[in-house]
Amino acid sequence: MKNYFSVQDIDSLPDWIKEAIEIKKNPLANKTLGANKTIGLLFFNPSLRTRLSTHKAALNLGMHVIVMNFTGEGWSLEYEDGTVMDQGNSEHIKEAAQVMSQYCDVLAIRAFAKLENKEEDYKETVLNGFIKYASIPVINMESATGHPLQAFTDAITITEYKKTDKPKVVLSWAPHPKALPQAVANSFVEIMQKMNVDFVITHPKGFELASQITKQIPIEYNQENALKDADFVYVKNWSSYTNYGEVAPSDSSWMMTNQKMQLTNKGKFMHCLPVRRNVVVEDAVIDSENSIVIEQANNRTFAAQLVLKKILEKL
Ligand code: AN0
Ligand code: CP
């Protein structure tokens, strides 16, 4: 693996999960592997968990870390070839990626979907631009269509908490006042297809994810039916893929409540965070003993650390 672009870069998920759980037990076991190596963390969007857990993972491996925020601080980049650059963008990805490749040994990039043009977002212009012009490995810290560090974390977390060989996992759409990308849901759906789980997606009609991602996964439009006997309830908003980026009329009936959680098999509540309380999920659920969101976020460090370890071993 040169780049960690999507969950499809995971060659053996069971092996990766096992190794990440080993790292969690002894995070400093490879504290010199990254000595004298530098990772550049590039942010085109805000972050709390991804920024700090990836930084922490790099420190655990003995790496140096450089963080750069492009919003407001970096030159705005141009991605199209052959453009006459007489508009807003000051620098082309060609120079930017090559220059940064001289300062760093690995680049990690966060660049969300703009949610204006589906074809543009699903082309992954920013991530693919860096992969094309950087001469060093590139890690996806949430791109337009995927969040594979989050999904790997979620797979680790489900493995840690599961009580049966084949737990029932439900991905449940939630209301949200702003249009959010499909990235987290897409990568979660992809990684669940690599696990031994009974997986169901529930959302209102019109919020189908891309069929090339959901494939044969059952979709249940009745949320309460979907939640029956669930061992894990993963709640997430995403905006419409068909009416691309459209925000739903605020439909609070899809919020996760304590009453709905009673339908589950003492289901564990999961969310990637950040989460809007009492919009996406009721306080009573996220504050309950079945909520594992804090430990889920803790696992971000070990997921990132395993990805970095795999990349460093090949440098
Ligand atoms: C982002 C999203 O839904 O993609 C990041 C989640 C990790 N969420 C928000 O912008 C609130
Ligand atoms: N879950 C996640 O990626 O969180 P941040 O947006 O805070 O990094």
Side-chain angles (χ1 to χ4, degrees):
M1 180 184 73
K2 182 181 179 203
N3 305 305
Y4 187 61
F5 179 74
S6 85
V7 301
Q8 307 310 343
D9 293 314
I10 301 175
D11 51 10
S12 165
L13 184 59
D15 289 349
W16 280 44
I17 292 173
K18 219 165 122 196
E19 202 177 337
I21 291 172
E22 285 306 310
I23 289 173
K24 185 173 181 176
K25 288 185 199 143
N26 188 4
L28 298 177
N30 293 290
K31 63 177 188 240
T32 57
L33 180 67
N36 306 319
K37 299 279 192 277
T38 300
I39 184 167
L41 308 180
L42 314 183
F43 288 91
F44 293 86
N45 307 95
S47 170
L48 185 157
R49 280 141 291 271
T50 306
R51 175 165 173 169
L52 297 183
S53 63
T54 311
H55 194 143
K56 181 75 193 283
L59 294 179
N60 285 347
L61 291 164
M63 299 182 83
H64 298 290
V65 182
I66 301 176
V67 184
M68 180 158 178
N69 296 316
F70 276 77
T71 23
E73 291 176 35
W75 299 115
S76 61
L77 298 183
E78 175 62 44
Y79 295 90
E80 284 290 315
D81 270 342
T83 326
V84 177
M85 286 171 56
D86 59 357
Q87 299 295 313
N89 294 334
S90 310
E91 176 158 26
H92 202 279
I93 178 71
K94 268 191 195 181
E95 288 77 49
Q98 290 183 77
V99 168
M100 285 189 276
S101 298
Q102 299 174 117
Y103 305 152
C104 300
D105 301 282
V106 182
L107 286 176
I109 296 153
R110 164 161 284 199
F112 287 177
K114 293 204 170 71
L115 294 175
E116 287 158 8
N117 178 322
K118 178 158 66 181
E119 284 67 40
E120 281 301 310
D121 283 342
Y122 275 72
K123 264 199 269 177
E124 291 283 12
T125 312
V126 178
L127 254 281
N128 280 328
F130 276 97
I131 287 172
K132 183 167 175 194
Y133 294 113
S135 53
I136 58 178
V138 171
I139 297 175
N140 181 346
M141 295 198 296
E142 188 175 338
S143 66
T145 69
H147 194 355
L149 286 174
Q150 181 67 51
F152 179 38
T153 301
D154 301 334
I156 296 167
T157 310
I158 288 173
T159 304
E160 284 182 325
Y161 281 90
K162 72 177 184 178
K163 293 200 183 99
T164 53
D165 279 350
K166 193 175 183 187
K168 177 171 175 183
V169 179
V170 180
L171 172 62
S172 186
W173 183 90
H176 199 274
K178 265 178 58 189
L180 294 185
Q182 289 108 28
V184 170
N186 283 347
S187 292
F188 186 71
V189 169
E190 286 183 303
I191 210 154
M192 285 304 106
Q193 292 174 63
K194 293 176 181 287
M195 285 184 77
N196 186 30
V197 290
D198 173 13
F199 183 47
V200 181
I201 307 175
T202 183
H203 56 68
K205 284 201 170 124
F207 284 84
E208 287 74 13
L209 293 161
S211 58
Q212 68 270 22
I213 290 171
T214 54
K215 300 197 172 101
Q216 306 306 318
I217 301 291
I219 293 167
E220 168 62 78
Y221 296 113
N222 182 316
Q223 189 187 30
E224 299 200 345
N225 283 349
L227 290 171
K228 279 195 190 109
D229 299 323
D231 298 298
F232 294 91
V233 179
Y234 197 103
V235 176
K236 183 71 182 85
N237 168 269
W238 60 87
S239 59
S240 177
Y241 178 74
T242 35
N243 291 320
Y244 195 64
E246 186 191 65
V247 189
S250 75
D251 181 1
S252 58
S253 70
W254 278 81
M255 176 171 77
M256 193 50 59
T257 62
N258 222 358
Q259 203 178 351
K260 290 178 194 170
M261 290 299 285
Q262 301 308 315
L263 299 166
T264 70
N265 179 26
K266 297 199 181 83
K268 299 291 184 205
F269 170 77
M270 297 180 74
H271 191 284
C272 62
L273 306 181
V275 70
R276 291 187 184 231
R277 283 171 172 259
N278 304 309
V279 174
V280 169
V281 57
E282 221 173 41
D283 281 341
V285 175
I286 191 168
D287 291 332
S288 78
E289 60 180 19
N290 284 327
S291 169
I292 57 173
V293 295
I294 304 301
E295 194 51 33
Q296 187 184 352
N298 186 34
N299 284 336
R300 289 295 306 271
T301 300
F302 313 111
Q305 199 169 325
L306 178 63
V307 169
L308 271 175
K309 178 171 179 274
K310 296 234 172 231
I311 288 173
L312 287 169
E313 281 165 350
K314 289 215 166 160
L315 280 186

